[in-house]
């Protein structure tokens, strides 16, 4: 809003994970009240999975990360951030195993100080309640192109209803795309 007041308008917007809510508001797809509701309900319901898993950044090409993940059950890709950096999610035990294996192959990992396994199947307990609380969301077309990091493509505002925001919490972030 401050930039718009100065006549600055983005050519497009995108956000990483929860940052997509701010991007949707900036694009005119969600009004401020609705954007705050999405954040509120997401934050409220994430407490259902506190402690079920964690997240870890991995500095390696995707094929190396996939190779390591294949040997450790319960580790999932949570975000593809760059050609050489991704985030994984899983149980604390599975991530410790992944870290040991990665470090034995000189792959750098960084434990993220999160008690939540966002963008993984461990988010499943959140789905029903989040979908119910967000079912009345009515997004607008918006006036700025919105690039989805859920799909990796430009999406019309009409596709950003409650179901989209569940996918935003559950599916891997496709930031590279």
């Amino acid at each position: 809003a401050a930039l718009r007041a100065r006549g600055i308008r983005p050519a497009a917007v995108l956000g990483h994970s929860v940052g997509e809510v701010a991007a949707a508001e900036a694009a005119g797809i969600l009004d401020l009240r609705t954007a705050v509701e999405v954040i509120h309900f997401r934050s409220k319901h994430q407490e259902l999975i506190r402690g079920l898993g964690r997240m870890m950044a991995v500095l390696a090409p995707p094929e190396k990360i996939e190779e390591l993940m294949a040997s450790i059950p319960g580790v999932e890709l949570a975000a593809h951030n760059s050609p050489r950096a991704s985030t994984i999610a899983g149980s604390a035990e599975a991530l410790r195993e992944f870290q040991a294996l990665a470090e034995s192959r000189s792959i750098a990992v960084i434990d993220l100080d999160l008690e939540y396994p966002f963008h993984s199947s461990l988010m499943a307990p959140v789905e029903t309640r989040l979908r119910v609380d967000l079912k009345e969301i009515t997004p607008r077309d918006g006036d700025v192109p919105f690039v989805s990091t859920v799909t990796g493509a430009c999406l019309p505002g009409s596709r950003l209803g409650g179901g989209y925001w569940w996918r935003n919490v559950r599916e891997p972030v496709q930031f590279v795309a």
Side-chain angles (χ1 to χ4, degrees):
L3 294 173
R4 282 185 186 215
R6 289 180 169 78
I8 299 170
R9 182 172 184 231
V13 295
L14 69 140
H16 189 287
S17 188
V18 72
E20 281 201 314
V21 180
E25 193 276 337
I29 294 168
L30 300 179
D31 60 36
L32 183 58
R33 178 182 170 83
T34 303
V36 170
E37 285 179 4
V38 171
I39 299 296
H40 166 77
F41 288 121
R42 176 187 163 121
S43 298
K44 175 182 174 182
H45 297 311
Q46 76 188 30
E47 290 307 307
L48 293 170
I49 52 92
R50 179 191 283 272
L52 290 182
R54 299 184 57 80
M55 299 179 82
M56 183 175 286
V58 185
L59 304 177
E63 55 277 357
K64 287 193 182 266
I65 296 169
E66 290 169 13
E67 178 186 321
L68 296 178
M69 286 191 321
S71 65
I72 301 174
V75 176
E76 299 175 46
L77 180 69
H80 189 183
N81 298 316
S82 80
R84 296 197 43 81
S86 293
T87 303
I88 58 173
S91 69
E93 181 180 326
L95 291 182
R96 279 192 297 274
E97 287 180 45
F98 184 96
Q99 182 173 9
L101 181 58
E103 289 175 348
S104 75
R105 297 185 183 182
S106 299
I107 295 173
V109 297
I110 302 165
D111 181 48
L112 302 178
D113 191 18
L114 294 170
E115 293 291 324
Y116 308 97
F118 292 111
H119 310 293
S120 76
S121 62
L122 294 171
M123 294 300 297
V126 172
E127 181 176 8
T128 300
R129 291 178 185 180
L130 187 62
R131 282 184 180 271
V132 165
D133 285 336
L134 299 180
K135 73 180 177 193
E136 299 297 323
I137 287 181
T138 307
R140 299 183 299 254
D141 285 336
D143 56 2
V144 175
F146 177 87
V147 181
S148 167
T149 54
V150 171
T151 67
C154 225
L155 289 183
S158 61
R159 301 252 321 261
L160 275 65
Y164 179 84
W165 297 110
W166 158 245
R167 292 178 62 205
N168 168 272
V169 169
R170 165 58 185 94
E171 294 181 18
V173 177
Q174 299 298 326
F175 202 69
V176 168

